[in-house]
Structures are given as structure tokens and as C-alpha cells.
Amino acid sequence: MKPTRNSQGVTEIVAFVKQNIIFGRMRPRERLIEEDLTSQFGASRHVVRAAMVELEQMGLVTRRPNKGATVRDFSVAEVEQIYDTRALLQTEAARRIPMPAAPGLIDELERVHADYCAAHDAGNLQRVCALNNQFHRTIWDACGNGSLVGLIDRLWTETLGIRCYGIGDPALLRLARAEHGEMIALLRKGDRAAFVDLSIRHMQPSLEAYKRAHGGWNAANPPEGSAA
């Protein structure tokens, strides 16, 4: 069955908003103007609202009655709870990957990593982002538990607005690139303990960049506008 024009419009709007969040062009609490989207995409209000519903279900926007949709903002507690849960899930996935990794998995990761490096060298951040997603999903899929992978993917998408702070920082991108290469080496070697440790450390730089961008925080000094 071919997708309907409406479903194509929803897909286009969702992709547009996701890309703008990823690259920091839309910031937390920024309002999504329905009229602007209907004009830009030649879409009906029904299609735009359907896209907002989908984005809300993905955890990327917040909708409030009579106030429209805004890019989701995170309280201190939400950020820490989400990252704690991501660490638990990704640790379990890393523990379930057969070690040493199968040659087919290594070959696929090396292929994706080579493309990632080429995109990085060319300054194509949009492709870097897409290949980064592919690299990590290839690793998670190797754990063999689709339900676990689905939960990880849900939180991965939900934290786009946090992870974008690592994409725009050249130093953090270089670090991520180096760590991807190290992950492949550890999988090939079969060093599970080091791989699990690196998988969790790999999450932290973008989180720390997000914290710095919001003034840093601790229990006594939450960022303005966030719940303590």
C-alpha cells in the first residue's frame, strides 16, 4: 500500500523537527508555530497536528491545551533519570553481545565507521548524525533481544535535545570518532568488561556539554526553569 499524501506530510514534518532539534536550531521550550509549518510544507492543520502528536509520543515535544507545542524541556531529575535508565539498558545490551563479536558484525561496524569518518572529514554533520545512529543500533541489535533494543531506541530518540550538544562540538565529535574505533577493537578482542565500561562513558560527554550550556547544576544549584 502506498503512503497517503497526509502520511507523507506527517513524516516530512517529523523529520524536519527532529533535524532541527539534533543540530540545535530548535531549543528547549521553543514554540512550534503551527501556521509556519502549514505554510512551509503546504500541509493542512490536521497534518501538522498529527505530526505534533507523533513527536510528543517520541518524547521530543510537549503539547499543552490552548498553548500549542514546544520543544521538550528537561528538568534536572528527568535528565538524570533518563541517563541512569539508558546506562542500565545499554549495560545489559552490552553484556548480551556474544564475545568476541562475530566477523560479520565487525565487518558491518567497520564499514559504517569508515563512512562516519569520511562524513566527519567532509564536515557533513547531518550524515555524521545518521551514521552515528546506524553504528550504535548495529551494536544494540547484536544483543539479540528486540524488546531491549526497542527500549534503548526510545530513550535514544527522546534525548535528541540533549545529545545535540555533542554533535556541534568539534572536540566531542573527535572523541566520539576515536571511541567508535575503540569499541570495534574491544568487540573484536572480546574484552567485555572494557566494552561495557566504554559504552557507558561514551554517553557522558554530550550530557556534560548539555549541563554546561545550562549553567551546570547540582542538587543546590539547578538550572533556571528546571525542577529541583
Side-chain angles (χ1 to χ4, degrees):
M1 180 182 295
K2 292 183 178 180
T4 65
R5 182 176 178 181
N6 281 357
S7 66
Q8 289 176 327
V10 169
T11 300
E12 290 172 357
I13 294 169
V14 168
F16 170 78
V17 173
K18 282 178 64 177
Q19 288 297 314
N20 277 278
I21 291 173
I22 288 171
F23 294 110
R25 294 188 288 265
M26 289 181 176
R27 293 295 190 178
R29 287 180 277 179
E30 182 173 338
R31 185 165 172 258
L32 300 172
I33 309 299
E34 190 174 287
E35 292 79 6
D36 290 350
L37 292 170
T38 58
S39 175
Q40 181 171 349
F41 289 92
S44 67
R45 289 181 181 271
H46 172 76
V47 168
V48 172
R49 289 169 185 169
M52 294 304 106
V53 170
E54 186 168 331
L55 287 161
E56 182 179 42
Q57 291 171 345
M58 296 169 72
L60 296 178
V61 307
T62 301
R63 294 189 307 144
R64 293 186 175 87
N66 303 316
K67 292 186 178 180
T70 58
V71 177
R72 182 178 173 183
D73 193 16
F74 294 90
S75 69
V76 172
E78 284 176 325
V79 171
E80 294 184 341
Q81 288 169 14
I82 288 171
Y83 268 77
D84 184 48
T85 304
R86 277 189 63 192
L88 291 170
L89 294 173
Q90 291 181 207
T91 294
E92 186 59 30
R95 287 173 176 165
R96 289 170 177 257
I97 297 172
M99 293 275 192
L105 174 60
I106 297 298
D107 289 346
E108 175 64 11
L109 289 173
E110 287 185 330
R111 182 190 66 78
V112 175
H113 184 54
D115 290 345
Y116 176 98
C117 292
H120 183 199
D121 291 340
N124 187 342
L125 295 184
Q126 186 164 332
R127 182 151 175 76
V128 165
C129 181
L131 289 164
N132 182 62
N133 292 345
Q134 186 178 350
F135 182 87
H136 287 285
R137 285 182 177 129
T138 300
I139 290 176
W140 301 330
D141 283 342
C143 81
N145 185 315
S147 295
L148 178 57
V149 172
L151 291 171
I152 293 171
D153 192 59
R154 162 74 192 193
L155 291 181
W156 175 266
T157 300
E158 195 169 338
T159 54
L160 277 177
I162 298 172
R163 291 189 291 107
C164 70
Y165 286 82
I167 294 171
D169 186 319
L172 294 187
L173 268 184
R174 288 193 297 272
L175 175 62
R177 174 176 175 166
E179 289 181 343
H180 286 181
E182 188 178 349
M183 286 180 188
I184 295 172
L186 292 172
L187 284 166
R188 180 186 287 109
K189 182 180 178 181
D191 190 339
R192 187 179 304 280
F195 179 74
V196 170
D197 178 68
L198 178 57
S199 296
I200 303 310
R201 284 192 288 111
H202 188 67
M203 294 166 46
Q204 299 308 309
S206 60
L207 174 59
E208 294 306 317
Y210 178 85
K211 288 181 178 182
R212 289 193 299 271
H214 289 76
W217 70 70
N218 53 42
N221 183 35
E224 184 179 353
S226 296

